[in-house]
């Protein structure tokens, strides 16, 4: 894949560039602020952008705002944002638009190279990839809502796996159950959460996450 890396930490940026190159990806640009990120996407036409949420000059949400602008201008470009912390507002903002090819990982997850590369691959293929800790925090905050309280423990486990971006087969493998059992749980989840079924996998995940974010 053609990738643009946006990270103000030189050490992490160069580490990502080296890792991605070793994995056979083409890093078309590596930049350190939001404006440079937007320019690099226009010039480099990447498949995926890997961007830190907080970048210069204020180190608040410049990276996220650039990512949202990229989603608006070029929805075909996947966006995987990295954050030091679980920031609910940022996750919600990222999910508020088109859900295709979007991801949110904690920076600690980057050192788990296989997980990072798996998330990058999913985003590049137009799917979703969300950090398990982000999903856990969102779900924990939502237990006060009645619809989620109706889910069984197993349905909540399946929902957490869905929200991370895993496909049904992967969920079955991770939970040591059959794929048909996963499908049954998912149908029950949608019924209990009163969510309309959709054809796209990422759309399904985003529908759940949007619900959790309300």
């Amino acid at each position: 894949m053609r990738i643009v890396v946006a990270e103000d930490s030189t050490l992490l940026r160069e580490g990502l560039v080296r890792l991605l190159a070793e994995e056979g990806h083409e890093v078309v640009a590596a930049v350190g602020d939001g404006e440079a990120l937007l320019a690099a996407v226009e010039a480099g036409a990447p498949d995926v952008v890997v961007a830190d949420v907080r970048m210069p000059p204020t180190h608040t949400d410049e990276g996220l705002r650039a990512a949202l602008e990229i989603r608006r201008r070029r929805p075909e470009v996947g966006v995987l944002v990295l954050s030091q912390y679980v920031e609910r507002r940022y996750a919600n903002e990222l999910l508020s638009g088109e859900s295709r090819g979007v991801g949110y990982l904690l920076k600690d997850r980057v050192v788990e190279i296989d997980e990072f590369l798996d998330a990058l691959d999913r985003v590049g293929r137009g799917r979703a990839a969300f950090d398990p800790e982000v999903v856990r925090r969102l779900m924990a905050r939502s237990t006060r809502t009645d619809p989620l309280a109706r889910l069984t423990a197993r349905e909540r486990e399946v929902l957490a796996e869905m929200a991370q971006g895993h496909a049904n087969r992967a969920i079955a493998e991770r939970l040591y159950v059959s794929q048909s059992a996963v499908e049954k749980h998912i149908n029950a989840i949608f019924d209990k959460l009163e969510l309309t079924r959709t054809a796209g996998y990422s759309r399904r995940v985003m529908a759940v996450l949007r619900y959790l974010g309300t």
Side-chain angles (χ1 to χ4, degrees):
M1 286 188 292
R2 292 169 56 82
I3 300 173
V4 169
V5 174
E7 166 61 55
D8 62 305
S9 165
T10 302
L11 184 61
L12 180 55
R13 184 172 67 240
E14 293 305 316
L16 286 170
V17 170
R18 178 171 298 184
L19 169 64
L20 294 170
E22 289 176 351
E23 292 297 323
H25 298 296
E26 180 184 358
V27 180
V28 296
V31 299
D33 62 69
E35 289 189 9
L37 169 58
L38 292 174
V41 169
E42 292 300 321
D47 301 303
V48 177
V49 166
V50 179
D52 187 8
V53 166
R54 299 186 178 191
M55 288 199 289
T58 68
H59 295 278
T60 54
D61 63 355
E62 283 86 350
L64 177 72
R65 285 192 281 110
L68 293 172
E69 182 63 17
I70 292 166
R71 300 286 292 168
R72 187 185 68 80
R73 294 183 188 179
R74 296 182 175 274
E76 74 278 8
V77 177
V79 172
L80 177 61
V81 299
L82 306 178
S83 177
Q84 194 70 40
Y85 310 101
V86 178
E87 299 182 83
R88 183 185 177 89
R89 178 172 65 87
Y90 293 163
N92 287 339
E93 286 190 50
L94 193 63
L95 296 173
S96 62
E98 171 61 47
S99 60
R100 183 180 182 279
V102 65
Y104 186 117
L105 289 186
L106 296 181
K107 284 189 173 179
D108 289 346
R109 199 69 59 187
V110 176
V111 300
E112 304 292 338
I113 294 176
D114 289 343
E115 292 188 30
F116 169 68
L117 293 175
D118 176 66
L120 182 69
D121 180 66
R122 278 186 278 157
V123 170
R125 286 186 285 123
R127 293 166 53 183
F130 284 83
D131 193 288
E133 182 63 17
V134 174
V135 175
R136 189 186 70 78
R137 296 281 185 89
L138 291 175
M139 293 187 69
R141 289 187 177 201
S142 299
T143 54
R144 293 186 295 273
T145 62
D146 289 337
L148 279 175
R150 300 206 300 266
L151 301 185
T152 66
R154 176 59 84 183
E155 288 164 355
R156 292 182 66 84
E157 290 179 331
V158 171
L159 179 58
E161 297 291 336
M162 289 167 56
Q164 290 172 45
H166 295 297
N168 290 2
R169 178 180 296 178
I171 294 173
E173 292 173 353
R174 292 166 66 88
L175 297 182
Y176 303 103
V177 298
S178 68
Q179 189 168 332
S180 62
V182 171
E183 292 168 354
K184 180 181 177 181
H185 288 309
I186 290 173
N187 287 335
I189 290 167
F190 280 118
D191 287 342
K192 291 180 180 179
L193 299 187
E194 300 177 353
L195 294 171
T196 303
R197 294 189 183 193
T198 56
Y201 173 74
S202 295
R203 191 178 301 276
R204 178 187 69 176
V205 175
M206 295 306 111
V208 175
L209 286 178
R210 284 173 183 169
Y211 176 83
L212 296 175
T214 58

